[in-house]
Amino acid sequence: EPEVTQTPSHQVTQMGQEVILRCVPISNHLYFYWYRQILGQKVEFLVSFYNNEISEKSEIFDDQFSVERPDGSNFTLKIRSTKLEDSAMYFCASSDQGGQPQHFGDGTRLSIL
Amino acid sequence: QQPVQSPQAVILREGEDAVINCSSSKALYSVHWYRQKHGEAPVFLMILLKGGEQKGHEKISASFNEKKQQSSLYLTASQLSYSGTYFCGTANTGNQFYFGTGTSLTVIP
């Protein structure tokens, strides 16, 4: 069964540094999402992406964050100048249509020191 | 608009039933239900699109009320494998998706 893959599984970074989290969505999916989950808390929507542009973003997704689809397969989340509170699990998801079931990757655990 | 779930946590013995509720102050475009086991990604369970709709998946089923402001997830004859955190999720007419506050379900032997 096709799946969403995320790399790396764990990223440790010094505060103030930039990180890029990578995702390979399911190949025939057109809608892509990033979510954040702070340990023990709910899953929070960050951004959705369709047709090579952001379609929706939450209040969390400020100027510190950016997303890109640099080629036909990868979907990246960049966090500039990381802060301690950015430590969380970041999930990528994809779906074939908007509002339809989302398939999640296994996540990247981001630890900011 | 983040939906609110209740209860926050529930502990069941194997074979018991549970109901998890998901409520919104506004009519929802759709409702998704996901289960997340500790340390893993959320896994899709089912989606409801129409007011009054009911769906089932083995011993897990869900309903979406007529006004599309509340959904309930029903777990019958619970098994140990049902343990996890259950999230409802809602999409607006755009492509913005919000998960509910989550319900931790623990099934004990």
Side-chain angles (χ1 to χ4, degrees):
Chain A
E1 185 176 324
E3 57 183 29
V4 176
T5 56
Q6 289 186 243
T7 54
S9 57
H10 191 190
Q11 174 82 44
V12 181
T13 301
Q14 292 287 332
M15 187 172 61
Q17 297 295 307
E18 175 183 284
V19 295
I20 297 176
L21 310 183
R22 291 183 165 79
C23 170
V24 179
I26 294 174
S27 61
N28 63 340
H29 284 185
L30 301 175
Y31 293 81
F32 314 120
Y33 309 84
W34 281 104
Y35 294 90
R36 179 181 79 177
Q37 187 174 34
I38 295 169
L39 186 63
Q41 298 186 23
K42 65 183 186 295
V43 180
E44 299 175 292
F45 171 80
L46 291 177
V47 66
S48 57
F49 193 87
Y50 170 71
N51 202 24
N52 287 321
E53 60 183 26
I54 291 173
S55 51
E56 298 278 0
K57 58 183 181 179
S58 71
E59 293 171 351
I60 302 169
F61 194 88
D62 59 21
D63 293 342
Q64 183 194 9
F65 294 89
S66 62
V67 290
E68 255 190 350
R69 189 159 162 82
D71 54 44
S73 59
N74 289 286
F75 179 50
T76 63
L77 175 69
K78 182 188 291 185
I79 310 174
R80 286 181 282 274
S81 190
T82 49
K83 299 174 275 195
L84 293 176
E85 53 264 39
D86 293 329
S87 295
M89 181 72 89
Y90 288 81
F91 290 106
C92 171
S94 69
S95 64
D96 57 356
Q97 296 180 41
Q100 290 301 306
Q102 296 175 32
H103 299 257
F104 282 76
D106 288 337
T108 292
R109 180 168 298 285
L110 179 64
S111 300
I112 307 299
L113 305 178
Chain B
Q1 189 78 26
Q2 183 189 13
V4 177
Q5 290 182 233
S6 62
Q8 285 187 316
V10 60
I11 299 175
L12 300 172
R13 292 199 177 276
E14 268 186 296
E16 291 182 338
D17 302 340
V19 180
I20 299 171
N21 297 305
C22 173
S23 297
S24 171
S25 58
K26 296 181 181 179
L28 304 171
Y29 182 66
S30 64
V31 173
H32 300 214
W33 284 98
Y34 290 81
R35 178 172 60 208
Q36 185 180 31
K37 292 188 179 284
H38 182 69
E40 298 181 9
V43 174
F44 171 77
L45 294 176
M46 63 189 81
I47 182 173
L48 299 102
L49 298 172
K50 299 176 186 176
E53 185 174 9
Q54 294 191 357
K55 272 192 177 178
H57 176 71
E58 296 181 343
K59 293 180 180 176
I60 300 175
S61 61
S63 64
F64 195 13
N65 79 348
E66 291 287 345
K67 291 186 178 180
K68 299 179 75 173
Q69 287 184 262
Q70 184 183 32
S71 178
S72 296
L73 185 73
Y74 307 94
L75 300 105
T76 57
S78 57
Q79 306 167 14
L80 295 176
S81 61
Y82 287 5
S83 292
T85 301
Y86 289 78
F87 292 99
C88 63
T90 67
N92 61 12
T93 52
N95 205 15
Q96 200 166 35
F97 193 83
Y98 288 102
F99 280 93
T101 47
T103 296
S104 173
L105 181 81
T106 304
V107 181
I108 58 176

